[in-house]
C-alpha cells in the first residue's frame, strides 16, 4: 500500500516534502490520515488551488494563478475570472484553457466545503484517478 501512496505523490507533485509528509502519516499514530497529509503537503508546496464551492470564476482564477503549472504555461486566466455560472462551470473553462498545454485539473475531494484542485500533465490523469480510487479516495477530472 505504501508504494501506491508514494507513486501518487510522485504523480501529483515533485516537491521533495510531499512524499515524506504522507509517509509520516502512514507510519504514524492510528489517527493519522494519509489523504489529509497529502492535501496539506500539496497545499504547503503551493501545488494546490483551494477554492470553496460558493466561489466564482474570479476566486478560481486567483487560486490557479499561484500554481506553478499555470505560471509556466502562461494561459490567460482572465477568461476563467470572467466565466459565468457556478464554480463547476468556471472549472470547466479553466480545464479547457489548460488542455492545449497538456494539463488537466483534478479535484481531490475531502470532507469539507473546500474544492482542492491540482494541475497535472494530462498523461498522468488516468493513473492518478486509478490510484486515488484504489486507496479509497478519489480524484475527479472535469473534461
Amino acid at each position: 500500500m505504501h508504494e501506491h501512496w508514494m507513486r501518487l505523490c510522485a504523480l501529483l507533485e515533485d516537491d521533495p516534502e510531499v512524499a515524506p509528509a504522507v509517509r509520516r502519516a502512514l507510519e504514524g499514530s492510528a489517527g493519522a490520515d494519509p489523504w489529509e497529509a497529502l492535501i496539506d503537503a500539496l497545499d504547503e508546496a503551493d501545488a494546490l488551488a483551494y477554492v470553496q464551492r460558493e466561489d466564482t470564476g474570479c476566486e478560481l482564477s486567483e487560486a490557479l494563478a499561484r500554481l506553478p503549472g499555470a505560471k509556466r504555461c502562461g494561459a490567460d486566466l482572465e477568461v476563467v475570472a470572467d466565466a459565468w455560472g457556478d464554480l463547476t462551470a468556471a472549472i470547466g473553462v479553466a480545464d479547457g484553457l489548460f488542455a492545449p498545454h497538456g494539463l488537466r485539473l483534478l479535484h481531490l475531494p475531502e470532507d469539507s466545503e473546500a474544492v482542492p484542485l491540482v494541475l497535472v500533465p494530462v498523461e498522468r490523469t488516468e493513473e492518478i484517478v486509478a490510484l486515488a480510487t484504489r486507496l479509497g479516495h478519489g480524484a475527479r477530472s472535469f473534461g
Side-chain angles (χ1 to χ4, degrees):
M1 192 66 70
H2 274 55
E3 66 276 358
H4 295 309
W5 281 104
M6 295 304 102
R7 178 66 180 152
L8 182 60
C9 291
L11 289 168
L12 289 170
E13 176 58 37
D14 61 0
D15 186 283
E17 296 301 316
V18 174
V22 173
R23 189 176 299 111
R24 283 190 298 275
L26 288 166
E27 296 168 355
S29 63
D33 183 351
W35 188 255
E36 285 181 26
L38 175 64
I39 300 285
D40 290 345
L42 290 168
D43 192 29
E44 296 257 336
D46 292 327
L48 196 67
Y50 243 118
V51 290
Q52 301 297 314
R53 293 188 194 284
E54 68 275 356
D55 283 349
T56 65
C58 188
E59 286 92 3
L60 175 62
S61 175
E62 290 172 5
L64 293 173
R66 293 188 290 272
L67 297 179
K71 290 177 187 176
R72 280 191 301 272
C73 79
D76 180 11
L77 294 174
E78 192 65 33
V79 175
V80 177
D82 293 340
W84 288 91
D86 63 4
L87 181 63
T88 302
I91 292 171
V93 169
D95 196 48
L97 187 64
F98 292 127
H101 301 280
L103 298 170
R104 192 89 208 243
L105 277 173
L106 292 178
H107 176 212
L108 303 177
E110 61 178 358
D111 295 331
S112 75
E113 288 298 308
V115 180
L117 301 168
V118 291
L119 187 60
V120 298
V122 71
E123 64 271 7
R124 295 182 186 178
T125 304
E126 285 184 35
E127 188 177 1
I128 291 168
V129 170
L131 279 170
T133 301
R134 185 176 298 138
L135 293 168
H137 296 281
R140 182 172 79 87
S141 65
F142 294 90

